[in-house]
Amino acid sequence: VQLQASGGGLVQAGGSLRLSCAASGRTSTRYSVGWFRQAPGKEREFVAAISGTTNSTYYQDSVKGRFTVSRDNAENTVYLQMNRLKPGDTAVYYCSARVGLASMKDNAYEYWGPGTQVTVSS
């Protein structure tokens, strides 16, 4: 499966962005999708995930209540709605996919797309 993240950009603190992760290829399999981010000089970290079979969602504590992950199976797309953005959310955001339950560990994911830059100005 191939993944393509989009929707990043520059936004002021308090603003919103919606990232999209479009899947192509072998999309008949219901993949779990994870969102990760990497800020300059920092390690990649888990942001949110949605399970392929149960649609259960998981979030990093710092984004709970602000970010929402969802999926549109008809469009083979997973979304990350990001509200009340903070400068600390600035990073390159990546979507990833795996067969099986969602995980908060990046090494559990088999497929990765190129990232999309999110910049939040203060």
Side-chain angles (χ1 to χ4, degrees):
V1 65
Q2 292 78 46
L3 303 174
Q4 182 65 54
S6 61
L10 173 64
V11 65
Q12 288 188 330
S16 299
L17 283 173
R18 188 177 78 160
L19 304 185
S20 299
C21 176
S24 60
R26 194 175 178 180
T27 57
S28 59
T29 300
R30 188 70 64 85
Y31 293 94
S32 293
V33 172
W35 286 96
F36 293 81
R37 65 187 182 188
Q38 187 167 20
K42 295 187 178 181
E43 293 192 354
R44 187 165 58 190
E45 64 175 1
F46 170 77
V47 177
I50 183 166
S51 276
T53 53
T54 66
N55 279 339
S56 297
T57 55
Y58 308 88
Y59 299 94
Q60 183 200 103
D61 285 345
S62 70
V63 308
K64 283 181 181 177
R66 300 189 298 123
F67 291 12
T68 303
V69 60
S70 62
R71 68 192 309 150
D72 183 336
N73 292 323
E75 296 294 329
N76 295 318
T77 301
V78 170
Y79 301 100
L80 183 67
Q81 178 67 45
M82 305 186 296
N83 299 327
R84 291 184 282 134
L85 283 160
K86 305 175 181 179
D89 295 318
T90 295
V92 176
Y93 283 69
Y94 299 89
C95 65
S96 57
R98 69 184 303 265
V99 176
L101 297 176
S103 173
M104 296 183 182
K105 298 181 180 180
D106 59 359
N107 61 8
Y109 290 84
E110 304 158 68
Y111 307 99
W112 291 83
T116 184
Q117 176 71 47
V118 171
T119 304
V120 184
S121 63
S122 57

